[in-house]
Amino acid sequence: MKTLTEKIEEKVKQAFEAAGYDPGLGHVSVSNRPDLCEFQCNGAMAGAKKYHKAPFLIADAVAEKLAGDPAFAKAESVKPGFLNLTLSPAFLAQELNEMAGDEKFGYRGEDKPRRVVVDYGGANAAKPLHVGHLRSAVIGESIKRIEKYAGNEVTGDVHLGDWGLQMGLIIEQLRDLKPDLPYFDPEHTGPYPDEPPFSISELEKIYPAASARAKKDAAFAARAHEATLKLQSGDPACTAIWHHIMNVSRKDLKKNYDSLNVHFELWKGESDVQPIIPGMVKDLQDRGIAHVSEGAVVVDVAQDSDKIEIPPCLIQKSDGAALYATSDLATILDREEKLRPDRYIYVADKRQALHFTQVFRTARKAGFVKPETELLYVGFGTMNGKDGKPFKTRDGGVMRLENLVADITDAVRQKMAGSDDLPEDEMEATARKVGLAALKYGDLSNQASKDYVFDPERFSSFEGNTGPYILYTIVRINSILKRYRSEGGTLEKDERRIGAPGSEVEKDLDLCLSRFPEVMETARQELAPHRICQFMYETADAFSKFYTHVKILTEPDEARKKSYLSLLTLVRDLLTVCTDLLGIEVPERM
Ligand code: ARG
């Protein structure tokens, strides 16, 4: 179905034509003066030049043509030559009824389905999952859902950091902790044990300890480096330990991501593409795309139009080691072979912008992707504490994700105490859902590239632009609908019909809802979940004003009551779709 703006534009274009002007002048946009009108067209201003005529004469003529159209309550020309358009209540209601009857509420999605890879999460195996990874998981999951809703075939890949120095650090620390393990016995022959030599809680302690130690102890750091190289060249003992690290760590990461309601189709990592790296580096050199510079292998990616200097992309160090960019390039090759994506979306900290610029340019220069393949990077800002510095725990450490979730769930639980009397276990599950909503919405409602302040108090508030407020709106509508049904009312699909709005507040709510298809289009194009949040908040707010103003269940006119309830149903359905697009779950009650 066409979007509302498209429908109006079509009418205005026809009116331009009927008045004897170029229909191309009839471009319509949502009004930036909602106090005056709902849509506007400034085409007469542009037409003035073309036709050597005062703009208001053109606008007047077009307005006259629009006058009889039942879609408009008002189509007026205002000096010096603007067209201000106000929809008729009946037309607006008709629009909402069409949306309500459409599978995706009027959103067409992409004209042609694409294959999309979303690279997000990006946790580093064996290192604790911290708040730095929260944003990637939350934003990436939402972008993935938005892409799916647009009708695309989407694969989410966690792309674990599983091949770095952390592995050597853990191996050497383990050697000192448990020297008797067979991995450290040079005489050991035969297979290594199937049982991991550590639990997840041990593993979690090993890495931070080893990392701190390497900073002070140069000999230990050198050993870790050595062990990393041994692992990377296939040493059986190091490889056996690495498998244990990965199995234990992956299981724990899955648990953590699951609890965030974040799910990946693929659990690949940097290690998966290591075997193809030597061939790739050689190929780049053979084709003259990469060259040796001071012993290292680099690809020049600077362009004349660059405003800042873009240094060459480093793909092999002088000691022969591969780098972060090398893994990402090899991963593109691998994805081209297995998934052939039309669109790549990377969700990572904005401080990695240069890295992605280098990788994308190298991939294009090398012809790893088709010219029309989109390589997109969503760089997100830092989550700060109230002091404006990157979020830390009270003792200055990096906050673990699960503690963060626990903190916000506590804040929610306190606010819920005394509300509905929910049984203990439902209370717990609800607090968790609402807590996650508070956390995710608090993050997603900001433009991703901006830093934001993590404020559990504000995020968990049941009022204002927050996740709990949105959930509360949905729950409230559900309870009204339930009450109506429990009093014998019915509202089957074919009984639902939204009538023309009878008040300003109702019309405001209608207008808000009518924007949904366009909001989705923008959110998809800009990869911007915050657009959806904005829509949700405006809708929830308009609903709240409507609800204060209009008696619903006590409305004596049955047809009108049904119209209100049909409208409520649409509000509920749209907000529910939106929460799902943000990866937020709605509780039954709150
Ligand atoms: N593991 C990386 C980090 O923690 C993020 C990975 C982002 N994705 C990518 N394909 N480079 O910084």
Side-chain angles (χ1 to χ4, degrees):
M1 112 185 219
K2 291 204 177 89
T3 68
L4 187 52
T5 309
E6 282 166 354
K7 285 181 192 163
I8 312 253
E9 183 162 293
E10 207 168 80
K11 289 175 181 292
V12 174
K13 283 186 165 160
Q14 276 164 12
F16 266 91
E17 195 160 32
Y21 298 104
D22 175 6
L25 294 169
H27 175 73
V28 165
S29 56
V30 171
S31 163
N32 49 22
R33 285 289 304 274
D35 52 325
L36 296 180
C37 59
E38 290 145 11
F39 291 87
Q40 66 188 52
C41 167
N42 304 342
M45 304 298 287
K49 271 202 205 93
K50 191 166 169 173
Y51 296 100
H52 305 290
K53 227 181 193 176
F56 72 89
L57 289 178
I58 303 178
D60 278 352
V62 177
E64 213 167 286
K65 296 288 174 204
L66 289 171
D69 192 318
F72 301 108
K74 223 162 56 181
E76 43 172 17
S77 125
V78 290
K79 292 248 164 68
F82 300 117
L83 271 172
N84 288 356
L85 307 167
T86 303
L87 300 184
S88 73
F91 181 73
L92 189 53
Q94 174 54 30
E95 180 67 17
L96 294 190
N97 284 314
E98 264 180 57
M99 280 173 66
D102 184 75
E103 196 196 347
K104 284 195 218 167
F105 307 97
Y107 175 48
R108 283 184 305 242
E110 272 195 270
D111 43 2
K112 161 174 152 256
R114 320 279 151 110
R115 276 187 301 270
V116 180
V117 168
V118 186
D119 179 314
Y120 71 111
N124 298 317
K127 295 194 197 177
L129 196 60
H130 62 74
V131 295
H133 293 110
L134 172 74
R135 297 212 71 192
S136 181
V138 169
I139 299 168
E141 180 74 18
S142 177
I143 288 179
K144 192 174 84 180
R145 290 169 184 234
I146 293 170
E147 288 285 341
K148 270 194 189 149
Y149 196 63
N152 294 324
E153 192 187 303
V154 195
T155 309
D157 182 2
V158 67
H159 196 76
L160 294 179
D162 59 358
W163 203 239
L165 181 64
Q166 82 253 42
M167 298 301 170
L169 285 165
I170 294 169
I171 293 171
E172 288 312 303
Q173 185 76 357
L174 190 66
R175 182 193 301 279
D176 293 353
L177 283 174
K178 306 185 180 182
D180 298 336
L181 288 172
Y183 313 96
F184 306 119
D185 174 6
E187 310 289 295
H188 182 84
T189 52
Y192 291 106
D194 288 335
E195 274 306 298
F198 38 63
S199 64
I200 181 64
S201 45
E202 274 177 289
L203 182 58
E204 273 176 351
K205 292 192 192 91
I206 297 178
Y207 172 74
S211 154
R213 186 174 161 198
K215 289 201 181 89
K216 294 184 300 232
D217 181 346
F220 177 73
R223 272 170 54 196
H225 190 73
E226 184 76 9
T228 309
L229 285 180
K230 270 169 77 183
L231 167 68
Q232 297 184 344
S233 47
D235 174 82
C238 289
T239 306
I241 299 175
W242 178 80
H243 277 298
H244 288 309
I245 297 176
M246 286 314 295
N247 287 337
V248 171
S249 174
R250 213 182 279 116
K251 206 162 122 201
D252 184 57
L253 283 170
K254 271 206 172 110
K255 198 183 80 196
N256 270 291
Y257 282 126
D258 273 348
S259 76
L260 279 176
N261 196 19
V262 166
H263 311 281
F264 301 93
E265 284 71 27
L266 289 178
W267 277 80
K268 296 217 168 205
E270 297 178 355
S271 66
D272 286 295
V273 296
Q274 297 309 309
I276 63 175
I277 284 181
M280 179 184 83
V281 175
K282 180 171 182 307
D283 164 63
L284 289 175
Q285 281 181 279
D286 287 351
R287 290 196 284 138
I289 289 159
H291 62 92
V292 177
S293 163
E294 295 171 35
V297 180
V298 304
V299 177
D300 291 325
V301 290
Q303 289 170 0
D304 291 341
S305 55
D306 289 340
K307 297 213 174 54
I308 51 159
E309 194 197 325
I310 306 292
C313 181
L314 201 53
I315 56 170
Q316 189 176 292
K317 286 204 287 193
S318 47
D319 66 1
L323 294 113
Y324 187 36
T326 327
S327 294
D328 267 325
L329 284 165
T331 305
I332 292 179
L333 279 183
D334 187 52
R335 289 175 178 159
E336 283 299 311
E337 191 197 310
K338 305 199 167 86
L339 306 165
R340 294 228 119 228
D342 302 303
R343 178 178 297 146
Y344 289 73
I345 303 170
Y346 295 82
V347 185
D349 193 303
K350 71 177 172 196
R351 285 167 291 190
Q352 298 194 12
L354 176 61
H355 164 78
F356 284 103
T357 302
Q358 293 172 315
V359 168
F360 292 173
R361 287 187 182 181
T362 303
R364 293 213 182 276
K365 195 168 175 178
F368 286 177
V369 296
K370 288 178 274 146
E372 64 273 23
T373 303
E374 293 172 82
L375 297 172
L376 308 174
Y377 160 60
V378 178
F380 54 79
T382 310
M383 180 171 128
N384 288 323
K386 281 194 188 150
D387 56 2
K389 300 205 187 93
F391 191 83
K392 295 263 159 70
T393 52
R394 237 163 277 146
D395 57 17
V398 179
M399 176 65 119
R400 300 214 26 168
L401 195 56
E402 39 194 270
N403 299 343
L404 194 77
V405 176
D407 268 16
I408 199 145
T409 307
D410 280 345
V412 165
R413 207 181 284 110
Q414 271 171 26
K415 297 217 163 64
M416 283 178 56
S419 60
D420 270 349
D421 321 298
L422 302 183
E424 190 64 32
D425 52 340
E426 187 182 340
M427 176 75 171
E428 237 352 86
T430 303
R432 181 148 182 110
K433 272 187 193 162
V434 179
L436 271 183
L439 188 73
K440 290 183 173 187
Y441 191 92
D443 187 303
L444 293 169
S445 53
N446 302 287
Q447 196 177 325
S449 61
K450 298 226 164 93
D451 297 348
Y452 75 99
V453 173
F454 176 69
D455 183 347
E457 239 345 89
R458 189 172 72 76
F459 289 2
S460 62
S461 169
F462 280 43
E463 276 153 50
N465 190 7
T466 69
Y469 175 62
I470 305 289
L471 292 185
Y472 183 62
T473 305
I474 300 176
V475 167
R476 196 160 160 200
I477 295 177
N478 276 333
S479 104
I480 299 169
L481 295 172
K482 208 161 138 191
R483 185 138 37 99
Y484 175 67
R485 290 209 170 87
S486 74
E487 287 164 2
T490 59
L491 195 64
E492 295 311 313
K493 247 195 150 128
D494 56 355
E495 288 178 84
R496 284 183 223 157
R497 180 133 200 103
I498 298 168
S503 60
E504 234 10 75
V505 282
E506 186 174 356
K507 188 169 186 197
D508 287 346
L509 176 58
D510 287 2
L511 274 172
C512 236
L513 298 177
S514 74
R515 309 260 192 252
F516 175 76
E518 280 157 5
V519 167
M520 280 314 300
E521 215 146 279
T522 315
R524 211 307 298 144
Q525 269 165 24
E526 296 177 359
L527 303 176
H530 76 275
R531 298 279 185 185
I532 297 176
C533 294
Q534 206 175 328
F535 168 81
M536 294 164 90
Y537 180 55
E538 282 167 11
T539 300
D541 201 43
F543 163 75
S544 156
K545 293 198 174 103
F546 170 74
Y547 187 64
T548 318
H549 184 81
V550 178
K551 300 275 157 290
I552 296 175
L553 291 179
T554 51
E555 166 62 46
D557 178 344
E558 190 58 29
R560 178 171 291 243
K561 191 198 274 191
K562 275 209 197 307
S563 158
Y564 287 159
L565 292 165
S566 307
L567 180 60
L568 257 58
T569 305
L570 184 59
V571 173
R572 190 267 322 261
D573 289 348
L574 287 178
L575 287 179
T576 308
V577 166
C578 289
T579 49
D580 191 56
L581 290 170
L582 304 182
I584 291 175
E585 290 177 289
V586 184
E588 197 104 339
R589 305 186 276 180
M590 274 169 84

